[in-house]
């Protein structure tokens, strides 16, 4: 498996808001080899605070002996625009000042992130993507790309995501931003600026990633005698510290704003018209306990993407189930890779529906 690579785009990069990044670097990982037919590309779009080393954070789903493996596929994952992990973002040097951008880094959108992916794909000589995968913020990118270039994407798997970011999701993101901006060190022009606020923001985020049942199962006390020092409290602090040690507050704010910007219908005549333009064979996966991206949002996607199939995974872990329910996701992806030459009598929709236990009446209800 290949290590981190960098692509330096030689021209200015114009953002959707009209601002221009004079320099653009894209950091990315690839695994495996592009075959002669150029039809074995699996492109994975990562979520909010993840990075391009997808074999590390999606172990069991991507990697040797996994369903997405470098022996069969040419796997690409790029660090998104504005992130912490090498692609141009708030800690990058602003060529105009010679200093990092910090909070002066411009706002970016999901469409800007996809535009950067497209530049990298051109650099790598990729014309066709056999399977595009994304969950959460990654799913928003995958959907946007599939709308922009419908003929380029053969198969699409999105999970725990939506057609536009909801008022509920925006409210969570704004609450996290308020926590960061209440930390006066955010304006200190230092790489660790806003770290206390980031710690609090992560604690807020966790409440949307999990749910009541998750905490009851994993953070419950074994005694009735405690009046302080609860497991749930220490867990929130621990997760906040973990993020502070690997991320920065400036990127966190910009990426949350990018997520808020997601709306496939903007400038395209609405959501349904945009979704109907997707040509990829699409599987939409919902997590039944997801509070942040409830299953109604995935059902809406499947209803309005022509021929799409909806599958639902039961999980204790809420939104994070898309990262943790590896065996269920693996079953679904195996069916996306059904050899159609040997299944000429079984349409794509029926083959996947059979695999995930979706009956015909459910499919008709979702896709009517």
């Amino acid at each position: 498996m290949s290590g981190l690579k960098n692509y330096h785009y030689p021209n200015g990069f114009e953002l959707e808001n009209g601002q221009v990044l004079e320099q653009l670097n894209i950091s990315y990982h690839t695994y495996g080899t592009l075959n002669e037919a150029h039809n074995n590309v699996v492109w994975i779009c990562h979520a909010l605070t993840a990075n391009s080393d997808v074999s590390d954070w999606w172990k069991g789903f991507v990697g040797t002996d996994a369903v997405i493996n470098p022996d069969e596929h040419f796997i690409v994952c790029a660090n998104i625009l504005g992130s912490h992990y090498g692609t141009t973002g708030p800690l990058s040097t602003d060529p105009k000042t010679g200093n990092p951008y910090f909070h002066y880094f411009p706002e970016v959108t999901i469409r800007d992130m996809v535009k950067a992916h497209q530049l990298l794909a051109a650099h790598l000589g990729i014309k066709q993507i056999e399977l595009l995968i994304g969950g959460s913020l990654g799913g928003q990118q995958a959907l946007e790309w599939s709308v922009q270039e419908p003929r380029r994407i053969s198969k699409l798997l999105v999970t725990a995501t939506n057609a536009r970011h909801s008022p509920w999701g925006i409210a969570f993101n704004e609450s996290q931003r308020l926590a960061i901006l209440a930390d006066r060190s955010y304006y200190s022009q230092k790489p660790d600026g806003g770290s206390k606020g980031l710690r609090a923001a992560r604690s807020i985020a966790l409440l949307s990633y999990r749910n009541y049942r998750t905490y009851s199962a994993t953070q419950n006390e074994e005694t009735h005698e405690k009046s302080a020092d609860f497991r749930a409290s220490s867990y929130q602090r621990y997760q906040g510290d973990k993020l502070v040690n690997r991320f920065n507050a400036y990127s966190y704010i910009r990426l949350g704003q990018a997520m808020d910007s997601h709306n496939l219908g903007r400038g395209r005549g609405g959501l349904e018209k945009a979704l109907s333009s997707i040509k990829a064979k699409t599987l939409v996966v919902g997590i039944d306990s997801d509070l942040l991206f409830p299953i109604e949002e995935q059902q809406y996607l499947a209803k309005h993407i022509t021929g799409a199939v909806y599958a639902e995974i039961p999980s204790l872990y809420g939104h994070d189930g898309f990262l943790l329910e590896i065996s269920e996701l693996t079953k679904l992806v195996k069916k996306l890779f059904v050899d159609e030459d040997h299944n000429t009598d079984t349409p794509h929709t029926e083959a996947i529906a059979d695999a995930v236990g979706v009956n015909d009446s459910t499919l008709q209800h979702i896709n009517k």
Side-chain angles (χ1 to χ4, degrees):
M1 293 190 178
S2 305
L4 186 68
K5 302 175 182 178
N6 290 283
Y7 168 54
H8 300 283
Y9 181 59
N11 304 313
F13 183 82
E14 185 174 357
L15 301 171
E16 187 181 359
N17 63 15
Q19 292 182 264
V20 177
L21 294 174
E22 293 184 11
Q23 297 177 355
L24 173 64
N25 179 71
I26 303 173
S27 295
Y28 64 98
H29 277 77
T30 64
Y31 313 84
T33 304
L34 186 63
N35 64 14
E36 290 186 8
H38 285 212
N39 64 357
N40 68 331
V41 174
V42 175
W43 194 295
I44 299 174
C45 299
H46 73 71
L48 185 68
T49 65
N51 57 55
S52 61
D53 190 5
V54 64
S55 68
D56 178 62
W57 55 262
W58 225 348
K59 285 187 177 74
F61 185 63
V62 177
T64 304
D65 299 326
V67 64
I68 306 297
N69 66 77
D71 295 329
E72 300 177 61
H73 312 291
F74 181 53
I75 307 162
V76 183
C77 186
N79 288 307
I80 54 178
L81 188 66
S83 187
H84 177 81
Y85 295 105
T87 293
T88 299
L91 298 189
S92 302
T93 299
D94 180 352
K96 294 179 180 178
T97 66
N99 298 313
Y101 288 96
F102 296 120
H103 64 277
Y104 294 109
F105 188 75
E107 292 184 18
V108 299
T109 66
I110 299 296
R111 297 183 185 185
D112 294 324
M113 294 175 180
V114 170
K115 183 178 177 181
H117 289 330
Q118 292 166 340
L119 292 175
L120 177 60
H123 169 70
L124 296 173
I126 295 172
K127 295 181 180 180
Q128 194 71 18
I129 295 175
E130 177 67 8
L131 174 60
L132 181 61
I133 301 176
S136 192
L137 174 64
Q140 294 176 338
Q141 297 166 60
L143 287 164
E144 175 63 37
W145 198 345
S146 298
V147 169
Q148 285 192 26
E149 297 186 299
R151 298 294 179 184
R152 190 178 201 174
I153 315 300
S154 299
K155 300 181 181 72
L156 174 65
L157 169 61
V158 291
T159 177
T161 195
N162 51 19
R164 68 175 175 184
H165 209 44
S166 67
W168 175 247
I170 293 170
F172 263 111
N173 285 341
E174 182 65 18
S175 297
Q176 294 169 64
R177 287 190 288 269
L178 290 172
I180 291 173
L181 295 176
D183 181 348
R184 299 171 76 179
S185 71
Y186 178 78
Y187 301 98
S188 66
Q189 305 285 58
K190 295 180 180 178
D192 63 350
S195 59
K196 290 182 179 178
L198 179 60
R199 186 176 185 240
R202 186 62 165 184
S203 181
I204 296 169
L206 279 169
L207 301 179
S208 68
Y209 299 159
R210 304 295 175 93
N211 57 54
Y212 179 93
R213 290 193 303 119
T214 313
Y215 278 81
S216 295
T218 63
Q219 304 303 322
N220 209 9
E221 301 296 337
E222 297 177 356
T223 174
H224 295 288
E225 305 308 316
K226 274 192 174 183
S227 61
D229 193 27
F230 296 105
R231 292 179 63 185
S233 298
S234 62
Y235 179 75
Q236 298 300 99
R237 295 193 298 269
Y238 168 73
Q239 292 294 344
D241 290 338
K242 274 183 65 178
L243 185 67
V244 166
N245 289 336
R246 68 175 181 87
F247 215 74
N248 76 84
Y250 308 102
S251 286
Y252 199 85
I253 280 188
R254 285 293 179 256
L255 297 187
Q257 290 170 326
M259 179 178 277
D260 294 351
S261 79
H262 174 61
N263 188 331
L264 294 174
R266 186 172 66 250
R268 294 171 176 149
L271 294 175
E272 293 180 14
K273 184 175 181 180
L275 288 169
S276 69
S277 71
I278 294 176
K279 305 301 181 186
K281 295 176 180 177
T282 302
L283 175 60
V284 183
V285 180
I287 307 298
D288 70 344
S289 56
D290 193 342
L291 296 180
L292 186 57
F293 291 80
I295 58 173
E296 294 92 327
E297 295 190 320
Q298 291 87 63
Q299 290 171 342
Y300 181 87
L301 292 171
K303 180 178 180 180
H304 295 291
I305 298 173
T306 303
V309 174
Y310 170 74
E312 192 169 303
I313 294 177
S315 178
L316 173 67
Y317 297 104
H319 183 62
D320 279 351
F322 86 90
L323 294 169
L324 300 173
E325 303 295 350
I326 301 301
S327 62
E328 294 301 314
L329 273 177
T330 295
K331 291 176 187 176
L332 298 176
V333 171
K334 283 181 177 178
K335 288 301 173 183
L336 272 180
F337 280 122
V338 167
D339 183 353
E340 293 177 348
D341 291 336
H342 295 87
N343 291 275
T344 54
D345 296 329
T346 305
H348 165 79
T349 299
E350 292 180 17
I352 296 180
D354 289 344
V356 301
V358 180
N359 60 42
D360 290 340
S361 62
T362 304
L363 280 176
Q364 290 168 5
H365 171 70
I366 294 172
N367 292 305
K368 65 183 178 182

